[in-house]
């Protein structure tokens, strides 16, 4: 999360990390998932489905999420409803989406309150009966993320034999297409297995995997 570029979004977003980026730090995915589930069950961590990829899950600390949502809601007519949502639904939340019927009957939200929550960006429509938990103003983040991933993968592909040392790639200067820190994108392409990692005497070599530049 320290690699997250707050200034890029005028400090309007909480620090975000993608679940698969953690797999680049720890090869035991089961252990990573187990620890993340424990943090989610304890209410410390929230997980979001980002929508551009069924395997792309964003992770945000609950405290950071609450602070940024309230910061963005200051002075808005939706503030009271959003505060109710943060107080009732977020503590101990381990869901990616909420059933509309449950929100109406169990948590006593009205139809118009649910509409206001969608308007404020804390929920997005999943289907007729449910809503995804979401990060307000995250559209720009997703756009930069996808664009940057494509550009960094392109760098690997254009390297000699489609291979580059991880340290060399991390040291590359970012282009106009790469808004995030290079290390953040390297964690992405390694964790998502878009490149193959080969250990050499010179360090980790990243090899381009055909079919991953879509």
């Amino acid at each position: 999360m320290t690699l997250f570029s707050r200034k890029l979004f005028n400090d309007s977003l909480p620090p975000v990390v993608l679940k698969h980026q953690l797999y680049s730090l720890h090869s035991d995915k089961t252990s990573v998932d187990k620890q993340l589930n424990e943090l989610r069950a304890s209410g410390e961590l929230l997980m979001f489905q980002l929508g551009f990829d069924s395997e792309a899950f964003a992770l945000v600390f609950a405290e950071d999420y609450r602070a940024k949502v309230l910061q963005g809601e200051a002075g808005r007519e939706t503030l009271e409803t959003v505060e109710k949502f943060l107080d009732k639904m977020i503590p101990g939340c381990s869901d990616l989406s909420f059933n509309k019927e449950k929100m109406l009957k169990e948590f006593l939200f009205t139809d118009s309150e649910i509409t206001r929550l969608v308007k404020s960006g804390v929920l997005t429509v999943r289907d007729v009966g449910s809503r995804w938990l979401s990060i307000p103003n995250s559209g720009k983040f997703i756009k930069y993320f996808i664009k940057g991933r494509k550009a960094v993968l392109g760098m690997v592909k254009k390297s000699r034999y489609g291979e580059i040392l991880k340290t060399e790639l991390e040291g590359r200067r970012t282009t106009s297409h790469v808004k995030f820190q290079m290390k953040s994108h390297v964690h992405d392409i390694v964790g998502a297995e878009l490149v193959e990692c080969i250990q050499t005497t010179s360090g980790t070599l990243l090899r381009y995997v055909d079919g991953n530049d879509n």
Side-chain angles (χ1 to χ4, degrees):
M1 283 191 177
T2 57
L3 295 173
F4 183 77
S5 309
R6 285 173 183 262
K7 284 182 183 174
L8 201 55
F9 307 100
N10 298 320
D11 207 27
S12 64
L13 285 182
V16 180
V17 67
L18 273 80
K19 185 172 83 160
H20 66 261
Q21 287 178 307
L22 300 177
Y23 297 155
S24 73
L25 299 168
H26 201 307
S27 57
D28 185 352
K29 291 182 184 181
T30 308
S31 174
V32 172
D33 290 348
K34 183 172 177 283
Q35 288 188 48
L36 289 177
N37 288 337
E38 284 170 5
L39 285 168
R40 290 173 69 204
S42 71
E44 287 178 71
L45 195 70
L46 297 171
M47 191 157 92
F48 306 81
Q49 163 64 262
L50 287 181
F52 69 89
D53 181 338
S54 60
E55 293 302 307
F57 297 101
L59 301 169
V60 175
F61 284 117
E63 215 172 274
D64 293 338
Y65 180 76
R66 186 184 174 88
K68 286 301 167 195
V69 167
L70 289 175
Q71 178 188 304
E73 280 295 309
R76 290 185 183 173
E77 57 179 30
T78 45
L79 175 62
E80 198 179 324
T81 307
V82 169
E83 282 179 329
K84 179 182 173 182
F85 173 78
L86 292 172
D87 291 339
K88 283 192 170 190
M89 309 294 284
I90 295 304
C93 169
S94 56
D95 296 317
L96 289 169
S97 64
F98 300 108
N99 181 283
K100 188 181 176 184
E101 206 62 31
K102 191 177 179 182
M103 286 185 75
L104 292 167
K105 291 180 177 173
E106 198 176 311
F107 293 98
L108 306 176
F109 283 91
T110 63
D111 252 322
S112 61
E113 281 179 326
I114 294 172
T115 301
R116 283 201 286 275
L117 291 172
V118 172
K119 187 183 173 185
S120 72
V122 294
L123 293 179
T124 55
V125 178
R126 180 183 182 180
D127 52 43
V128 177
S130 66
R131 306 287 179 267
W132 290 113
L133 176 64
S134 70
I135 308 165
N137 308 310
S138 57
K140 202 176 183 184
F141 170 83
I142 294 167
K143 182 185 164 188
Y144 287 167
F145 185 86
I146 296 168
K147 214 171 178 183
R149 171 190 275 188
K150 204 169 180 180
V152 174
L153 271 179
M155 290 176 194
V156 180
K157 188 180 182 181
K158 286 170 192 165
S159 300
R160 196 178 181 192
Y161 306 124
E163 297 173 344
I164 187 171
L165 282 170
K166 182 167 169 274
T167 49
E168 189 188 327
L169 184 61
E170 287 173 345
R172 285 264 181 105
R173 289 185 67 170
T174 54
T175 66
S176 60
H177 296 294
V178 182
K179 305 286 188 187
F180 299 156
Q181 291 188 47
M182 194 61 93
K183 273 191 176 183
S184 179
H185 281 300
V186 172
H187 283 306
D188 166 47
I189 63 173
V190 170
E193 297 177 358
L194 301 176
V195 290
E196 195 182 337
C197 293
I198 300 143
Q199 300 307 322
T200 73
T201 50
S202 305
T204 305
L205 188 72
L206 306 180
R207 178 181 289 160
Y208 179 79
V209 178
D210 278 332
N212 282 329
D213 54 350
N214 296 330

